[in-house]
Amino acid sequence: MKALEGVKILDFTHVQSGPTCTQLLAWFGADVLKVERPGVGDATRKQLVDVPGADSLYFTMLNHNKRSIELNSKNETGKKILTRLIEECDVLVENFAPGALDRMGFSWERIQEINPRIIMASVKGFGPGKYEDCKVYENVAQCAGGSASTTGFRDGPPLVTGAQIGDSGTGLHLALGIVTALYHREKSGRGQKVLAPMQDGVLNLCRVKLRDQQRLKAGPLKEYSQYGEGEPFGEATPRAGNDSGGGQPGRILKCKGWETDPNAYTYFITQAAVWGNVCDVIGKPEWKDAEGYAKPEDRLDKLNEIFGAIEEWTMTKTKFEVMDICNPLNIPVGPILSTKELIEDEGLRATGTIVDVDHPERGTYSSVGCPIKLSDSPVEVTRSPLLGEHTLEILQEVLGYQGEELEEIVNSGAVGEPKRAAAE
Ligand code: COA
């Protein structure tokens, strides 16, 4: 039995943030019923299309292990069915623009009236306040949540990161809120509202940058390269290039082949505990005991010189050789892996973090599987549903419609043109 088996999720999510959350819940065993607009579906089905006529990778990679029902939630019959779904489900997850659910006639008060045990979980761009009505996408959240202002180099503009911390990051936060509310419901018998604003989620991930904001009052941030470069600090946490975010100085350094390979780099951390090993490996044994180098705090104004010397050594090795040499010496290093290297990585494939999935329209594609491993609840990744593939199945099996009533619903146009084959 999977960890969340028996939990029914009314998945009213679209694009990335909400679908990330419900995909995780599906992987843990929940029955996720994705409600989509008839004939249209989640906008990502047809965004960034690589195989004409097939659901895009954007959609398929975010909607595994779900069932799809087409439902027009603004039509009277559609609202009746949505009401039945609310009655039957344990959790409603949505990430519509602010107010959209209310405009459909399904406010939190109304939803609670229909099913007091239901948990309603929402992603919004911002929490309550002056921006609460704004529509928000990934990069807006990265900018508004403190990530962009602290990413990049000091002499360049703010940068967004390739990690989807606004969308997928907030989806993760929401999933935690949902399972916590489910746990609470075991005791209270009642559902509750869970809100994960994207700005707040990004800020949570930028916690150490707010740490540094407050440390500025006590003087310059000595572990930032700019300290050793004699650049004064301003009023806010500055962009720190590839400096380590913690107390152990680190940098991205060139490795053999960097001239032609954009990812021939390693991250190298001069952890204080293994300073002697670092000195030995780069051929600077004299630094082990030298004044100004022996103690971690004395090295902070010399980071450029120290990393320059380490880089002279890393440039003679490939990023994997650096790892092979440094790991046995307990020196924390990490190769800069390209997406190509990751998708082909045997270790990640062996653990199911990279999986191959068969899809009837597009053939086999690779995806990121479940990154969280539960020992008694292994994940089997199954393909994303076609639009409305399970409409009839859900109407019949989950909601119990049959005979004339089912016929009426199908003829009302509220559920698109259900694919009967799926139910037969
Ligand atoms: N049947 C009928 N109508 C439906 C429907 C269905 N099954 N599903 C959605 N709709 C309607 C909504 O009710 C809404 O109508 P309204 O504007 O008349 O109220 C409309 O479709 C569009 O929904 P909306 O959420 O506004 O989509 P959008 O494409 O305009 O905006 C976002 C997209 C992502 C910007 C917006 O949804 C948003 O800000 N979401 C919250 C933050 C978020 O999650 N952002 C990250 C996305 S990865």
Side-chain angles (χ1 to χ4, degrees):
M1 190 172 159
K2 297 274 169 65
L4 292 182
E5 210 163 303
V7 175
K8 273 199 186 61
I9 311 281
L10 197 176
D11 182 10
F12 229 154
T13 68
H14 65 156
V15 201
Q16 185 183 160
S17 63
T20 312
C21 165
T22 52
Q23 177 167 262
L24 277 173
L25 301 175
W27 280 338
F28 292 144
D31 185 8
V32 175
L33 313 174
K34 185 168 172 106
V35 176
E36 298 184 80
R37 214 174 338 182
V40 183
D42 188 321
T44 59
R45 282 189 186 267
K46 296 293 165 254
Q47 273 176 14
L48 314 177
V49 168
D50 58 326
V51 177
D55 283 330
S56 70
L57 286 166
Y58 197 5
F59 179 82
T60 55
M61 291 177 73
L62 284 158
N63 290 284
H64 293 111
N65 297 62
K66 304 180 184 178
R67 299 200 269 175
S68 164
I69 172 171
E70 282 178 289
L71 185 67
N72 182 347
S73 55
K74 288 182 172 165
N75 147 308
E76 275 321 303
T77 305
K79 285 185 191 199
K80 202 175 78 183
I81 297 165
L82 189 58
T83 305
R84 284 282 299 117
L85 278 167
I86 293 170
E87 281 167 0
E88 289 298 324
C89 288
D90 299 282
V91 188
L92 184 162
V93 193
E94 63 93 22
N95 67 312
F96 289 126
L101 212 53
D102 297 68
R103 287 193 288 278
M104 276 180 210
F106 291 92
S107 62
W108 168 226
E109 291 70 28
R110 174 73 190 121
I111 288 168
Q112 266 184 312
E113 214 173 77
I114 300 169
N115 179 0
R117 282 179 59 81
I118 202 163
I119 288 151
M120 180 174 127
S122 305
V123 169
K124 294 288 167 261
F126 293 92
K130 61 181 170 178
Y131 300 125
E132 64 186 328
D133 292 329
C134 298
K135 284 187 177 180
V136 168
Y137 282 107
E138 170 70 47
N139 287 347
V140 175
Q142 287 195 25
C143 293
S147 176
S149 72
T150 54
T151 303
F153 287 90
R154 209 168 64 241
D155 53 1
L159 280 186
V160 292
T161 151
Q164 305 289 285
I165 57 176
D167 281 340
S168 289
T170 307
L172 274 165
H173 282 88
L174 192 70
L176 178 60
I178 290 171
V179 291
T180 306
L182 278 169
Y183 182 71
H184 185 242
R185 194 182 71 172
E186 291 296 305
K187 292 174 273 180
S188 70
R190 287 191 65 79
Q192 60 185 299
K193 197 171 159 182
V194 179
L195 173 68
M198 295 167 73
Q199 180 187 39
D200 305 40
V202 171
L203 185 57
N204 183 36
L205 300 176
C206 291
R207 185 169 293 262
V208 300
K209 298 297 176 181
L210 282 209
R211 172 201 67 193
D212 292 349
Q213 174 62 40
Q214 296 172 88
R215 288 175 57 231
L216 276 171
K217 283 193 207 119
L221 305 173
K222 293 187 178 169
E223 76 283 10
Y224 281 55
S225 297
Q226 94 174 61
Y227 168 70
E229 289 162 9
E231 280 290 327
F233 284 77
E235 288 184 340
T237 307
R239 293 189 267 290
N242 291 315
D243 286 343
S244 149
Q248 308 289 346
R251 289 257 180 107
I252 287 184
L253 304 177
K254 291 171 184 159
C255 292
K256 196 191 241 176
W258 66 273
E259 298 91 337
T260 50
D261 176 354
N263 294 304
Y265 290 83
T266 186
Y267 202 88
F268 197 107
I269 299 176
T270 55
Q271 194 202 13
V274 290
W275 174 242
N277 290 350
V278 173
C279 297
D280 283 337
V281 90
I282 64 167
K284 290 271 187 194
E286 66 276 16
W287 276 357
K288 282 194 269 188
D289 303 312
E291 199 171 328
Y293 294 85
K295 290 196 195 135
E297 60 275 20
D298 292 345
R299 296 196 285 268
L300 292 174
D301 61 354
K302 303 177 190 68
L303 293 182
N304 283 356
E305 181 196 358
I306 290 168
F307 282 112
I310 299 172
E311 191 169 55
E312 273 180 38
W313 176 76
T314 58
M315 281 164 70
T316 66
K317 308 276 176 270
T318 69
K319 60 189 178 187
F320 297 111
E321 286 167 348
V322 170
M323 190 123 182
D324 291 344
I325 295 167
C326 290
N327 271 351
L329 299 172
N330 274 332
I331 303 170
V333 293
I336 307 305
L337 294 180
S338 70
T339 46
K340 182 170 186 299
E341 287 165 328
L342 287 164
I343 213 165
E344 292 167 355
D345 190 287
E346 281 175 21
L348 292 172
R349 284 181 171 272
T351 60
T353 297
I354 298 283
V355 288
D356 282 342
V357 185
D358 285 324
H359 190 275
E361 292 175 342
R362 55 177 311 119
T364 304
Y365 65 93
S366 296
S367 189
V368 182
C370 185
I372 305 165
K373 319 291 182 188
L374 271 63
S375 63
D376 284 355
S377 200
V379 172
E380 189 196 330
V381 178
T382 61
R383 70 167 172 86
S384 59
L386 302 176
L387 177 60
E389 181 173 349
H390 307 97
T391 301
L392 271 186
E393 188 178 297
I394 293 169
L395 289 173
Q396 292 171 312
E397 286 173 21
V398 179
L399 303 181
Y401 290 115
Q402 44 183 300
E404 276 180 28
E405 200 180 7
L406 180 64
E407 208 59 39
E408 259 176 51
I409 289 171
V410 170
N411 293 333
S412 73
V415 293
E417 288 179 18
K419 291 156 193 68
R420 286 172 185 277
E424 279 161 14

